[in-house]
Amino acid sequence: MELLVHYRGTLITAVLAVAVGLASYAVVSSDPLAGHRDRSFTMDFSRVYDVDPALIQYEQTREFSVSMAQPRGISVGPEDQIYVAGDQTVGVYRPDGTTLAMIPTEGRPSCLAVGNDQHVAPGHIYVGSGNRIEVFDDDGSRVATWNVPTDDAILASIAVADESVFVADAGNRLVWRFDPSGELLGTIGNAEAGGRTFNVPSTTFDIAIGPGRQLHVANPGALRIETYTFDGALQARWGNPGVAIENFFGCCNPSQFAVLPEGEIVTSEKGVPRIKVYSEYGEFRSVVAGPRQLGIAQSELGDPRPHQAGVVFDVAADSQGRVWVLDPRRKSVRVFVRLDEHTGGIGFQPVNLESTGWKPIPLSAPLAHASRRHGSWEEQPDA
Amino acid sequence: MSGEQQTDRRGFLADGARVVGVVSAGVLGGYLAGQRGQAEENRWQIDPDKCVGCGNCATHCVLDESAVKCVQCFDMCGFCNRCTGYYTLDGLDSRDTAAEDLLCPTEAIIRTFVEGKAGQNFYEYTIDTDACIGCAMCVKGCALMNGSLYLQVMHDRCVNCNECAIAVACPSDAFVNVSADKPYRLKRIALGVMRQKAGKSDTAAQKLLGQVHADE
């Protein structure tokens, strides 16, 4: 006891020294940021990567290679033949993937369309490259070549109706209308001509013909699809921006779309690649394929390298309602068929639109708003 | 006597001419060698077409504040209202400018209203380089759309280490040596756009092409 009293000061110093040492060790060895380090500069895409399986109503049934280094566009022609443009060629394939022809082109195609049975020249192939349209007949012989009347055109899409050929020009943010011989009939969205300006932030600017003799135009910067008469009068518009599956993601989507036989619209988005089906009036129906089904790893989302970030899946639809997807990474065509038709399985399950926040856009109010802000609308006849 | 003097003068002049020739050749050779040496002086730079936006640039630079900063290629930007490089996924929906809805951890992206057209609002996105830490969050977000934001080593800050610590840590070999007189790079797609513009007598594009490393 006397010893304790005698060495009390020394003992207290020793205890304090040990305590300080332990505390120092604890501070040095601990890493309060350890849990955050791996996540510091990462983005969590799981919310957009995973798609509710119940919404996926399509299944891939076939895939065939297109033997092109850079396939750019896909279209379906008479007898459901598949046409793919890329490199300096147009490949023609049977639905089973058998190659029928490889048609050389002068330019490097960026888009194409094929006249269907309603077109004055069924089977004629219209190929866009640079500021030029190359026309081939149904056996691949060159028929004509005509130029879009501007140098700074970026031809993004072609749609062929009965007696009209529409060409979407992302460079000038408008749609050209030609007759099948190449005579310019007019434009839609031409700001200089008093029309409305499409918001086209990138080079994707798709168009397609609806079954009711309408022209559907993607307005990608506005994240919606608009429907016009062939004369350029707006009939309808739909589409909501948002991350949720029923909306259009990012700042410029849908990047591609196609029209199914009954008028439903298949959309393809870039950034977070996902292919979906909407009614003609914009009601979300189902998912054809999400990023996972398209072969995109979650870690690839947001990868800035061009071969990852620049991926755009073009889509086309045939007379049987099959969805044809051009995969630029696998350089292949992938065929998606509705599950109920393919398997006789689960059938279409209507989505509870209210639960997703979806509300059809009333036409009257937005159009009136548009006409007030943009005088050009008032000059166009109401649909 | 005078003959010897004439011979000496001639010899003197000949020797002098030889010396001057040798000295001139030496000077010229030295000058050319020096010029060549200058032309081969290199700087570290990021090839934006190889960058994966891993975030190492923010944490591996030997400087307290990384010399790597984000840059904006306005010719590729869509000036979008809903910018995926500016907003988080939640922010895209809310378009709230609260810090938790912005992608940049240091709020280094400045959003400025440009104009309203066709019912759409357009915004310009510029980088506050003093605030930017080179983390590449915006680069990954922007890659979801046009990919106009990318990283570059800023040579008013870089100390040009012999062995760049970020280059060692770079997972995609995106760091390259480029000539010191043109130490910046454009994305390949932007290079194409600039060449098109330069071909149409766009002086800004011509000037930019004169400043960037343009090997493909």
Side-chain angles (χ1 to χ4, degrees):
Chain A
M1 194 63 188
E2 284 181 10
L3 277 175
L4 280 176
V5 173
H6 184 73
Y7 292 107
R8 186 178 58 189
T10 307
L11 279 171
I12 291 171
T13 304
V15 169
L16 282 174
V18 170
V20 169
L22 287 172
S24 302
Y25 174 78
V27 168
V28 169
S29 62
S30 73
D31 189 352
L33 296 177
H36 299 277
R37 183 159 295 150
D38 292 341
R39 306 179 290 186
S40 294
F41 301 127
T42 58
M43 291 177 70
D44 180 11
F45 288 108
S46 58
R47 181 180 155 200
V48 289
Y49 184 76
D50 296 316
V51 176
D52 180 358
L55 296 176
I56 301 175
Q57 300 288 320
Y58 284 75
E59 184 179 64
Q60 181 178 327
T61 57
R62 197 180 313 134
E63 179 173 7
F64 61 87
S65 169
V66 293
S67 303
M68 291 179 192
Q70 289 184 311
R72 298 291 300 275
I74 185 170
S75 183
V76 174
E79 299 175 7
D80 286 343
Q81 286 183 357
I82 307 303
Y83 297 74
V84 177
D87 299 346
Q88 277 186 287
T89 187
V90 173
V92 187
Y93 307 90
R94 283 203 187 97
D96 65 4
T98 308
T99 304
L100 293 174
M102 297 298 280
I103 304 168
T105 60
E106 288 178 357
R108 300 185 73 82
S110 55
C111 54
L112 87 164
V114 183
N116 61 15
D117 294 335
Q118 282 76 48
H119 186 51
V120 290
H124 270 210
I125 309 163
Y126 297 83
V127 183
S129 58
N131 68 337
R132 160 177 59 185
I133 308 291
E134 298 178 45
V135 188
F136 303 88
D137 66 15
D138 53 0
D139 68 1
S141 303
R142 184 181 302 276
V143 175
T145 300
W146 75 74
N147 288 337
V148 173
T150 175
D151 287 337
D152 50 1
I154 300 173
L155 303 189
S157 180
I158 303 175
V160 181
D162 44 12
E163 294 181 348
S164 298
V165 177
F166 294 93
V167 180
D169 177 355
N172 293 286
R173 299 177 174 88
L174 57 80
V175 178
W176 304 93
R177 183 187 181 191
F178 297 93
D179 75 4
S181 69
E183 184 181 343
L184 182 62
L185 300 177
T187 58
I188 301 174
N190 189 343
E192 291 178 3
R196 181 167 183 265
T197 307
F198 293 113
N199 183 358
V200 185
S202 63
T203 56
T204 58
F205 181 32
D206 205 8
I207 55 176
I209 304 295
R213 210 172 178 276
Q214 319 122 317
L215 178 70
H216 297 301
V217 183
N219 194 344
L223 295 140
R224 64 182 179 226
I225 287 180
E226 301 174 348
T227 304
Y228 293 83
T229 66
F230 287 178
D231 295 324
L234 179 70
Q235 291 187 313
R237 65 183 190 187
W238 57 267
N240 273 343
V243 176
I245 189 73
E246 67 270 24
N247 297 330
F248 292 130
F249 175 79
C251 61
C252 30
N253 269 316
S255 57
Q256 304 289 340
F257 71 95
V259 181
L260 288 162
E262 300 301 320
E264 290 181 313
I265 293 176
V266 185
T267 64
S268 171
E269 293 172 53
K270 66 173 185 169
V272 178
R274 51 193 194 189
I275 299 172
K276 302 175 292 185
V277 177
Y278 293 84
S279 76
E280 187 179 359
Y281 306 105
E283 295 156 313
F284 172 66
R285 294 289 195 210
S286 61
V287 175
V288 175
R292 190 189 302 275
Q293 290 73 34
L294 291 170
I296 306 284
Q298 188 174 328
S299 60
E300 292 179 283
L301 297 180
D303 187 332
R305 290 175 295 181
H307 63 281
Q308 307 280 11
V311 173
V312 176
F313 292 86
D314 194 7
V315 289
D318 68 10
S319 63
Q320 299 175 46
R322 293 176 294 194
V323 177
W324 299 77
V325 178
L326 181 62
D327 188 328
R329 302 202 316 169
R330 288 153 66 149
K331 305 179 196 328
S332 67
V333 172
R334 303 165 70 174
V335 191
F336 289 82
V337 176
R338 272 179 70 129
L339 280 170
D340 50 352
E341 292 173 5
H342 175 52
T343 63
I346 65 174
F348 174 67
Q349 310 250 335
V351 177
N352 181 353
L353 297 175
E354 288 181 2
S355 69
T356 63
W358 172 264
K359 288 179 183 172
I361 302 169
L363 281 176
S364 54
L367 277 175
H369 177 67
S371 65
R372 281 198 301 276
R373 292 192 60 176
H374 305 288
S376 59
W377 278 109
E378 294 166 354
E379 296 167 20
Q380 296 182 357
D382 288 332
Chain B
M1 185 71 181
S2 66
E4 286 178 0
Q5 283 177 339
Q6 282 178 347
T7 303
D8 288 344
R9 187 182 300 124
R10 192 174 294 131
F12 173 77
L13 289 173
D15 289 345
R18 283 190 203 102
V19 169
V20 169
V22 168
V23 170
S24 301
V27 168
L28 182 63
Y31 174 76
L32 291 176
Q35 285 294 98
R36 188 166 172 238
Q38 269 189 352
E40 285 187 348
E41 191 178 346
N42 286 344
R43 292 284 184 272
W44 289 106
Q45 193 46 273
I46 299 169
D47 181 344
D49 290 311
K50 290 183 180 175
C51 172
V52 294
C54 64
N56 281 351
C57 290
T59 54
H60 283 72
C61 184
V62 294
L63 299 175
D64 289 341
E65 183 188 300
S66 176
V68 174
K69 306 288 177 185
C70 178
V71 296
Q72 165 74 291
C73 179
F74 291 106
D75 286 274
M76 290 174 68
C77 180
F79 295 84
C80 300
N81 187 355
R82 291 175 176 79
C83 174
T84 51
Y86 182 72
Y87 287 115
T88 62
L89 294 182
D90 290 332
L92 279 174
D93 282 343
S94 69
R95 275 178 296 143
D96 190 344
T97 51
E100 65 270 23
D101 286 331
L102 301 182
L103 209 48
C104 180
T106 60
E107 295 189 40
I109 302 181
I110 312 298
R111 172 179 155 107
T112 310
F113 175 75
V114 177
E115 63 173 344
K117 194 186 258 185
Q120 302 291 305
N121 287 339
F122 294 87
Y123 293 85
E124 183 183 73
Y125 298 89
T126 51
I127 311 299
D128 177 354
T129 48
D130 287 333
C132 177
I133 57 171
C135 67
M137 289 292 284
C138 60
V139 174
K140 284 179 283 195
C142 189
L144 294 173
M145 291 296 138
N146 281 10
S148 64
L149 297 172
Y150 60 94
L151 296 181
Q152 288 285 273
V153 178
M154 292 292 146
H155 291 288
D156 57 339
R157 297 164 190 264
C158 176
V159 293
N160 202 32
C161 301
N162 197 29
E163 183 179 67
C164 172
I166 315 176
V168 172
C170 179
S172 59
D173 282 337
F175 271 72
V176 290
N177 266 162
V178 294
S179 169
D181 58 349
K182 289 184 177 180
Y184 296 98
R185 295 187 77 132
L186 286 172
K187 277 191 163 182
R188 202 178 310 134
I189 189 169
L191 197 59
V193 172
M194 287 301 161
R195 282 177 173 156
Q196 269 191 343
K197 286 186 150 192
K200 294 175 183 172
S201 304
D202 185 316
T203 51
Q206 290 170 345
K207 186 178 176 187
L208 183 64
L209 283 177
Q211 294 171 341
V212 297
H213 188 84
D215 283 354
E216 294 185 53

